[in-house]
Amino acid sequence: MDTKLYYEQVVRDIYEAIGRGTSVQTLAVRHNSLLQGKTSEHQTDVYWEFNDGELTYKTVIQARETATLDELFALLRIIRDIPGQTVGVLVTQPVYKKDIKDMADSAGIILYELFAPAAQDIVEPVIEHVRINVDKEWVKHEKEKAGIGDEQVQVMKQPKYAFIYDGQGHCVDSVQGIFDSYSKQRQGMPAGEKQAIAHTFHSPAFLQTNHALVPFVKLTSIEFDLEFVKVNELPGEEMVEYILSKVFRYFGR
């Protein structure tokens, strides 16, 4: 496949994955359409507006064979013309120039770098079916102490991006850090082979909640499936989750 067409196909895969459903509420998603800004219309490959339960985000996703300063400035003009919390995503070949990366960082543009299909031997870890297991008896006891009865205590909307604390309230790891640790340990796994991982905690570990009276819940384990896939075969759902992680990190979520 022609390199330019490959990156355009990646963007179509992302659009179709958003349409199949994501971990956030999609408010609007459009493919290859004109987007009305404050001052003018803009041609966009994908426009995605979504809500994480608290805030609304707007994402403009463009596919370009090569990331240049001109392409970054063009995308910057679009995201600055769209009101609200807006970021840009440029799907492109790996970027090695420091000025391009620095410009993207300062402009709020996420560089989604993918090798073209010729690089068949390059694989990336994919994490799926994440299950955060809490100590239900511990949580029940803490709720009774707080006098909130059966009131629901929820962790943040995207727990995989959350930090893990010890019994003294010190940050000791993150859920993503656990994913990364197992991915590093299992480098060399054949592409397409999936492993079920159950990470248990040998000392008390806690995840932050959004409840003032029960600010933490005690964890028992984190379960997930780990698979290594060729970068040019990344499923759309995984690419969407990657974009979500970058958007939330950019806005400090």
Side-chain angles (χ1 to χ4, degrees):
M1 179 186 294
D2 178 83
T3 304
K4 179 181 178 181
L5 295 178
Y6 169 69
Y7 292 105
E8 292 175 356
Q9 179 61 52
V10 167
V11 167
R12 283 195 293 271
D13 291 344
I14 291 171
Y15 168 75
E16 291 171 359
I18 294 170
R20 290 193 292 270
T22 71
S23 57
V24 294
Q25 179 188 7
T26 293
L27 304 177
V29 59
R30 306 171 196 163
H31 178 237
N32 192 24
S33 65
L34 288 174
L35 178 65
Q36 180 63 54
K38 292 180 291 186
T39 63
S40 61
E41 285 188 326
H42 307 280
Q43 180 67 41
T44 60
D45 291 338
V46 171
Y47 171 71
W48 182 25
E49 185 174 329
F50 61 89
N51 186 284
D52 68 350
E54 298 179 22
L55 299 175
T56 294
Y57 306 85
K58 300 175 182 180
T59 305
V60 176
I61 306 171
Q62 304 284 59
R64 297 295 182 267
E65 187 176 7
T66 304
T68 65
L69 288 177
D70 286 343
E71 294 291 358
L72 291 179
F73 279 119
L75 184 49
L76 178 59
R77 283 193 294 271
I78 296 175
I79 62 177
R80 283 186 172 176
D81 199 37
I82 307 302
Q85 298 200 109
T86 308
V87 295
V89 178
L90 190 64
V91 180
T92 187
Q93 298 186 78
V95 177
Y96 302 105
K97 293 183 178 180
K98 187 176 183 301
D99 60 338
I100 300 292
K101 286 185 173 291
D102 289 346
M103 167 64 183
D105 287 340
S106 63
I109 294 174
I110 298 164
L111 294 175
Y112 196 151
E113 303 170 64
L114 291 173
F115 285 93
Q120 294 292 327
D121 58 338
I122 298 176
V123 296
E124 293 286 348
V126 172
I127 304 296
E128 295 181 314
H129 307 128
V130 179
R131 297 167 293 282
I132 308 291
N133 300 314
V134 303
D135 187 330
K136 295 181 180 179
E137 287 301 316
W138 185 93
V139 174
K140 179 181 178 182
H141 178 68
E142 292 298 305
K143 288 167 66 175
E144 290 174 350
K145 282 172 47 180
I148 61 174
D150 293 331
E151 185 177 333
Q152 192 172 14
V153 176
Q154 294 182 331
V155 297
M156 62 180 292
K157 293 291 183 179
Q158 298 291 326
K160 67 180 275 189
Y161 312 123
F163 294 107
I164 295 172
Y165 299 83
D166 62 16
Q168 287 71 50
H170 300 134
C171 181
V172 294
D173 206 341
S174 67
V175 177
Q176 185 63 52
I178 292 173
F179 296 161
D180 293 342
S181 175
Y182 281 93
S183 298
K184 184 176 180 181
Q185 291 174 24
R186 285 160 172 73
Q187 281 184 345
M189 279 176 51
E193 180 180 310
K194 185 176 294 187
Q195 285 192 4
I197 307 294
H199 177 84
T200 56
F201 297 93
H202 301 295
S203 57
F206 302 85
L207 197 65
Q208 200 167 21
T209 74
N210 59 4
H211 199 290
L213 298 179
V214 185
F216 295 92
V217 292
K218 187 177 182 182
L219 302 177
T220 58
S221 65
I222 297 178
E223 301 175 64
F224 56 93
D225 293 337
L226 171 63
E227 179 182 4
F228 283 86
V229 300
K230 295 175 183 178
V231 292
N232 60 310
E233 296 177 357
L234 281 172
E237 287 77 8
E238 178 63 22
M239 293 188 284
V240 169
E241 285 299 317
Y242 175 87
I243 291 172
L244 279 175
S245 71
K246 292 294 186 180
V247 171
F248 289 135
R249 188 173 301 174
Y250 177 77
F251 285 111
R253 300 290 288 170

